[in-house]
């Protein structure tokens, strides 16, 4: 019997578990058939020359007339040799040996497609493993699409693989062709509109029976095991097909009770899942999304069960079915599915792998998995890392999301870009921009500038997003010369665009916001309004912003002699810019309008102007002004949050702010009931609740601040973020509540968050004795967590934290002699009733002037 010779490179490939493309020619080996009569010393193996394996010339001759001789490897690409095959080379070495197709098989490929199943069977048996010659026959006989026919060819290769005798092969082929006839009819029925309606109705009627009970599975499995193996193998495909037609919602229970990969044909499971996928896809096209959700769950249940039960190289699902089950998986389960596919050596297409890698690349803790998949992909012959889909994955790999921790050192940007360049990535503008931002977020601004110089060396022209990355990176290093450098580059190239102007306005606002004021728990002024307005007027039209102000903006722009309280290099650079001509002024978008309104509200020094501006904006909304409604539609509660924050800065208007938040809740519920959605009136967001909590905390109203946190989780139904937890812990620390601080920190960790430096700073507000007690209790909870029963979602009741003894609570007189503490408010209405009522006459009462101001401006309006 002839003996196979396999080179050392092919042996290594067989031992390596990796994904391969579905095309069969990428899996062929450097195989030679050696005649058994030849002495072993005549076979010359491949010779190692440096790092390449090259063959020596094999001189051979035919013996006995039927043995195929081993010949020399040709030096030219695609040259036929004496063995009846073709040797292909790549990079100076042997890539693979493709056996020459026999003449009988070549004649089969020339024949016209047949309409008879009997002739198709004969053609398959004569194909000698080259089943691609029956591709067109499968399309014509069963009405399959070309992609379905390609998958059927792969099923034939796995079904008839090995040294089978003619009777065994014919028996397997008869069952397969009979199954294909039935399943093709199911596919045609799925494409018919009447069949889709029948499927939808059957699924809808069975919606109450979708939950499979364990007792049903056990009883079905017990009854199934009573049958002998031959009868189970004979009946199983027909049972699956009849269940698919009559009761598709019971398919997961049937498969989980009867599936056994030792005798169940793999093509039955593959075609079953494909039919379910086609039905779900057609149902989505016709708008039956509700029925499709349950079908997707059934597909996911069957796929998960079958993959876990399958041995290696048993299953080859359609890639569309495989991709359908991936988006619903969380990242951790997706990684488990990825490892499972590798374990069972399931063929996965390059596009599916890119989809998985894209999911991993977008999360900070799974970027290493994306690197592993890209390594597998780049090892595939013919894969190009510079295609749009692959380059998009590379960009996501180098991108850091907002408010996420930094990845580990294995996903550092310098290591990632070095890996991608070694794998053949050609740098482009998007990749280098993502790399620059990665370095800026990590604080390596000098390295980001090095990448910028590299971008110029590659001949890439920086756009506004590149300048924006460097400008935002300079915000984190205000004392660095980088800000002046990028400012000069933008100005010299006349590249000021809306994105860059908005970034610079935000820089001015944040720079003034970071200026500390002494002896003030609640800072009540931001002096960036004047320089921001002057920069705004140089590039934007004033008319859209004028609609939201109560005085002429041109008077403030032209005002001379009023110096800002804090003069910084960024303000001086903004003053050096020349204004644009009126014909080149840009129209502001909603982003810059919200930024300017926020800066203006932060500049107000008295509550009366805060009330006026808020009522003026509500009046615009009541008149359905397009500009005001546009801000609400595009930015949700942002504009209301700006006004609520301004009102919460003053104790006299804090109760009024709480009343307005209550009105927001009522308006949002009314609009949702009327229109089915919230377009202009949105419920309070996490930022709205955080503003209330911080405002009451800064006014030393600890009791009501704790009540607001409780309302946030009960009334608002929002999940506190880490900044909210830090503000809440700071509130508890001011109250001196050790148990409250301990419970809050423990619940923070239970919510999946980790304390940061601001959490430590909040704990440090406790006295030393209480701080040591908090640390001791946290250590005890860490060692024995089972002794403490704290719910994952906290709402902390202030009455259970010793609120009656909390500092900063207020008492009200019941009569002339008795005083009692206020009750803990349970809703916004009760909270507003306990705060100071709004007294317009008191607010409007003029104060004594502390300093001389410009007479052209309203008193107390601007500084």
């Amino acid at each position: 019997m002839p003996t196979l010779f396999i080179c050392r490179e092919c042996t290594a490939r067989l031992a390596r578990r990796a994904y391969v493309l579905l095309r069969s020619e990428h899996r062929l080996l450097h195989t030679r058939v050696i005649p058994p009569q030849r002495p072993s010393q005549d076979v010359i193996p491949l010779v190692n020359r440096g790092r390449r394996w090259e063959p020596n010339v094999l001189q051979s001759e035919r013996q006995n007339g039927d043995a195929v001789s081993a010949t020399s490897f040709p030096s030219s690409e695609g040259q036929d040799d004496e063995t009846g095959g073709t040797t292909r080379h790549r990079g100076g070495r042997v890539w693979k040996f493709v056996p020459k197709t026999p003449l009988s098989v070549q004649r089969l490929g020339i024949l016209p497609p047949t309409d008879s199943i009997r002739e198709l069977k004969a053609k398959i048996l004569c194909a000698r493993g080259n089943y691609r010659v029956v591709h067109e026959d499968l399309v014509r006989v069963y009405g399959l699409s070309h992609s379905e026919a390609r998958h059927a060819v792969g099923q034939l290769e796995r079904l008839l693989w090995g040294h089978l005798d003619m009777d065994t092969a014919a028996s397997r082929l008869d069952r397969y062709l009979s199954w294909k006839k039935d399943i093709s009819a199911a596919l045609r029925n799925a494409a018919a509109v009447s069949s889709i309606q029948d499927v939808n109705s059957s699924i809808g009627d069975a919606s109450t029976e979708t939950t499979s009970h364990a007792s049903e599975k056990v009883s079905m499995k017990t009854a199934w095991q009573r049958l002998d193996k031959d009868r189970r193998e004979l009946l199983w495909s027909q049972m699956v097909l009849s269940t698919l037609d009559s009761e598709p919602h019971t398919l997961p229970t049937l498969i989980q009770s009867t599936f056994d990969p030792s005798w169940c044909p793999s093509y039955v499971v593959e075609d079953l899942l494909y039919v379910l996928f086609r039905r779900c896809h057609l149902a989505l096209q016709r708008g039956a999304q509700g029925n499709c959700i349950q079908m997707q769950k059934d597909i996911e249940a069957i796929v998960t069960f079958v993959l876990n039960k399958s041995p290696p190289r048993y299953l080859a699902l359609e890639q569309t079915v495989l991709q359908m089950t991936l988006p619903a998986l969380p990242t951790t389960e997706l990684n488990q599915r990825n490892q499972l596919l590798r374990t069972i050596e399931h063929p996965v297409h390059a596009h599916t792998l890119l989809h998985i890698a894209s999911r991993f690349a977008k999360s900070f803790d799974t970027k290493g998995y994306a690197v592993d998949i890209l390594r597998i992909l780049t090892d595939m012959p013919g894969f190009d890392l510079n295609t749009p889909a692959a380059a998009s994955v590379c960009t996501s790999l180098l991108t850091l999301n907002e408010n996420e921790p930094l990845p580990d050192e294995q996903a550092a940007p310098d290591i990632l870009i070095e890996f991608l360049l070694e794998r053949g990535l050609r740098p482009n503008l998007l990749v280098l921009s993502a790399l620059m931002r990665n370095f800026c977020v990590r604080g390596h601004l000098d390295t980001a500038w090095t990448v910028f110089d590299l971008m110029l060396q590659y001949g890439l022209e920086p756009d506004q997003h590149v300048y924006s990355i460097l400008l935002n990176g300079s915000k984190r290093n205000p004392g660095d010369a980088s800000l002046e450098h990028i400012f000069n580059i933008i100005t010299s190239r006349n590249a000021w665009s809306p994105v860059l102007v908005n970034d610079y306005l935000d820089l001015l606002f944040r720079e003034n916001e970071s200026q500390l004021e002494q002896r003030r728990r609640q800072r009540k002024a931001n002096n960036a309004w004047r320089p921001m307005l002057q920069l705004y007027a140089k590039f934007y039209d004033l008319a859209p912003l004028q609609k939201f102000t109560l005085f002429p903006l041109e008077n403030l722009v032209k005002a001379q002699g009023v110096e800002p309280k804090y003069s910084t290099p960024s303000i001086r650079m903004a003053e050096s810019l020349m204004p644009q001509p009126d014909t080149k002024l840009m129209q502001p978008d909603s982003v810059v309008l919200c930024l300017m309104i926020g800066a203006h509200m932060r500049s107000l020094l008295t509550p009366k102007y805060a009330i006026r501006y808020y009522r003026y904006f509500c009046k615009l909304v009541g008149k359905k002004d397009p500009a005001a409604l546009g801000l609400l539609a595009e930015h949700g509660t942002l504009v209301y949050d700006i006004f609520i924050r301004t009102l919460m800065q003053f104790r006299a208007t804090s109760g009024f702010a709480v009343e307005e938040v209550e009105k927001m809740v009522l308006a949002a519920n009314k609009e949702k009931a009327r229109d089915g959605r919230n377009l202009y009136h949105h419920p309070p967001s996490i930022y709205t609740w955080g503003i209330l909590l911080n405002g009451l905390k800064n006014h030393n109203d600890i009791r009501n601040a704790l009540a607001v946190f409780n309302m946030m989780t009960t009334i608002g139904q929002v999940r506190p973020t880490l900044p909210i937890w830090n503000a809440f812990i700071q509130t508890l620390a001011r109250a001196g509540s050790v148990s409250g601080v301990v419970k809050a920190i423990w619940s923070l960790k239970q919510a999946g968050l980790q304390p940061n430096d601001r959490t430590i700073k909040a704990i440090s507000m406790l006295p030393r004795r209480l701080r040591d007690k908090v640390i001791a209790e946290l250590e005890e909870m860490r060692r024995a967590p089972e002794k403490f029963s704290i719910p994952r979602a906290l709402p902390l009741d202030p009455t259970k934290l010793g609120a009656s003894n909390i500092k900063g609570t207020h008492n009200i007189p019941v009569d002339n002699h008795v005083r009692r503490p206020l009750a803990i408010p349970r809703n916004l209405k009760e909270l507003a009733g306990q705060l100071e009522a709004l007294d317009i006459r008191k607010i409007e009462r003029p104060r004594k002037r502390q300093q001389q101001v410009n007479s052209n401006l309203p008193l107390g309006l601007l500084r």
Side-chain angles (χ1 to χ4, degrees), residues 284-302:
L284 280 177
Q285 290 181 345
R286 289 167 173 79
Q289 187 173 3
N291 295 331
C292 189
I293 294 176
Q294 183 59 42
M295 204 179 301
Q296 290 177 344
K297 293 181 180 179
D298 293 343
I299 295 174
E300 171 60 26
I302 297 174

Side-chain angles (χ1 to χ4, degrees), residues 31 36 190 204 231 304 384 417 455 458 522 531 576 588 727 863:
T31 305
R231 186 159 182 78
T304 303
D384 187 7
I417 191 63
M455 184 183 300
Y458 276 103
Q522 174 116 318
S576 66
R863 178 182 291 181

Side-chain angles (χ1 to χ4, degrees), residues 654-848:
S654 58
F656 176 76
V658 174
E659 292 177 355
E660 295 307 311
V661 174
E662 183 185 12
K663 292 179 181 179
M664 289 175 60
V665 176
L666 297 177
N669 295 337
K670 182 179 179 180
E671 186 181 41
K672 183 67 177 293
R674 184 183 68 244
D675 302 333
R677 61 172 181 168
N678 294 112
L679 180 59
Y680 303 119
H681 300 283
H682 301 267
S685 64
I686 184 66
Y687 304 103
T688 312
W689 292 105
I691 290 169
L692 291 180
L693 176 61
N694 274 290
L696 294 173
K697 177 200 68 176
N698 292 336
H699 288 309
N700 205 27
D701 194 350
I702 307 301
R703 176 190 293 270
N704 288 329
L706 300 180
V708 165
F709 184 87
N710 196 43
M711 296 178 200
M712 179 192 311
T713 56
T714 56
I715 300 176
Q717 297 296 322
V718 296
R719 184 179 181 182
T721 58
L722 184 58
I724 297 297
W725 279 109
N726 290 338
F728 182 63
I729 294 172
Q730 186 178 1
T731 305
L732 295 170
R734 284 187 181 179
S737 175
V738 174
S739 61
V741 171
V742 171
K743 291 180 181 180
I745 294 177
W746 184 261
S747 299
L748 179 151
K749 293 182 178 180
Q750 292 294 100
L753 304 174
Q754 292 298 325
N756 58 3
D757 54 346
R758 291 185 176 271
T759 313
I760 305 302
K761 185 178 179 180
I763 299 175
S764 64
M765 297 183 65
L766 286 167
R768 180 63 178 271
R769 177 179 59 83
L770 299 181
R771 188 163 61 246
D772 294 341
K773 190 175 181 180
V774 168
I775 295 174
E777 291 191 13
L778 286 174
E779 183 65 20
E780 184 179 358
M781 295 179 73
R782 185 185 67 82
R783 292 178 179 176
E786 65 277 359
K787 295 182 180 180
F788 302 89
S789 58
I790 299 179
R792 292 179 62 88
L794 186 77
L796 284 179
D797 191 345
T799 59
K800 298 179 181 179
L801 299 176
S804 59
N805 299 322
I806 289 177
K807 297 181 291 184
T809 57
H810 305 284
N811 296 331
I812 60 172
V814 179
D815 51 36
N816 295 332
H817 305 287
V818 182
R819 299 173 67 90
R820 63 177 178 83
L822 290 173
I824 300 297
R826 299 294 179 178
N827 51 56
L828 292 171
K829 185 175 181 179
E830 293 181 6
L831 176 60
Q834 294 189 10
L835 296 174
E836 183 178 349
L838 181 64
D839 189 349
I840 296 296
R841 291 177 299 177
K842 182 179 179 181
I843 292 178
E844 295 287 348
R845 186 180 305 162
R847 294 186 176 184
K848 184 178 179 180

Side-chain angles (χ1 to χ4, degrees), residues 182-233:
D182 296 333
I183 206 66
S184 60
L187 285 173
R188 288 192 297 271
N189 292 336
V193 177
S194 59
S195 178
I196 289 293
Q197 294 174 351
D198 295 340
V199 170
N200 290 342
S201 61
S202 64
I203 295 177
D205 297 338
S207 59
T208 58
E209 304 175 7
T210 55
T211 303
S212 298
H213 300 286
S215 59
E216 296 178 0
K217 296 180 183 178
V218 172
S219 59
M220 184 180 296
K221 189 172 184 179
T222 303
W224 181 253
Q225 292 298 331
R226 293 173 183 169
L227 302 176
D228 59 275
K229 180 181 176 181
D230 295 336
R231 186 159 182 78
R232 290 200 303 263
E233 187 174 356

Side-chain angles (χ1 to χ4, degrees), residues 68 107 775:
V68 182
R107 295 191 188 99
I775 295 174

Side-chain angles (χ1 to χ4, degrees), residues 380-480:
M380 292 181 179
F383 181 80
D384 187 7
L385 201 57
N386 298 285
T387 58
S392 175
V393 175
C394 297
T395 305
S396 300
L397 189 64
L398 294 171
T399 301
L400 293 179
N401 297 328
E402 296 289 343
N403 304 322
E404 275 192 354
L406 296 179
D408 54 15
E409 293 300 326
Q410 298 298 326
D414 51 346
I415 297 177
L416 293 179
I417 191 63
E418 181 181 1
F419 163 76
L420 294 176
L421 293 177
E422 289 178 354
R423 293 288 169 164
L425 178 68
R426 293 190 298 270
N428 55 52
L429 191 62
L430 291 177
V431 171
L432 293 181
S433 299
L435 184 63
M436 287 173 54
R437 184 181 177 276
N438 201 324
F439 281 118
C440 288
V441 172
R442 293 174 179 267
H444 304 304
L445 193 58
D446 52 345
T447 311
W449 278 105
T450 304
V451 178
F452 179 78
D453 297 335
L454 181 65
M455 184 183 300
L456 298 179
Q457 293 177 9
Y458 276 103
L460 302 174
E461 184 64 24
D463 59 0
Q464 59 179 354
H465 300 289
V466 175
Y467 297 137
S468 176
I469 291 171
L470 293 173
L471 187 59
N472 284 286
S474 302
K475 295 178 184 179
R476 301 179 175 89
N477 302 273
D480 196 281

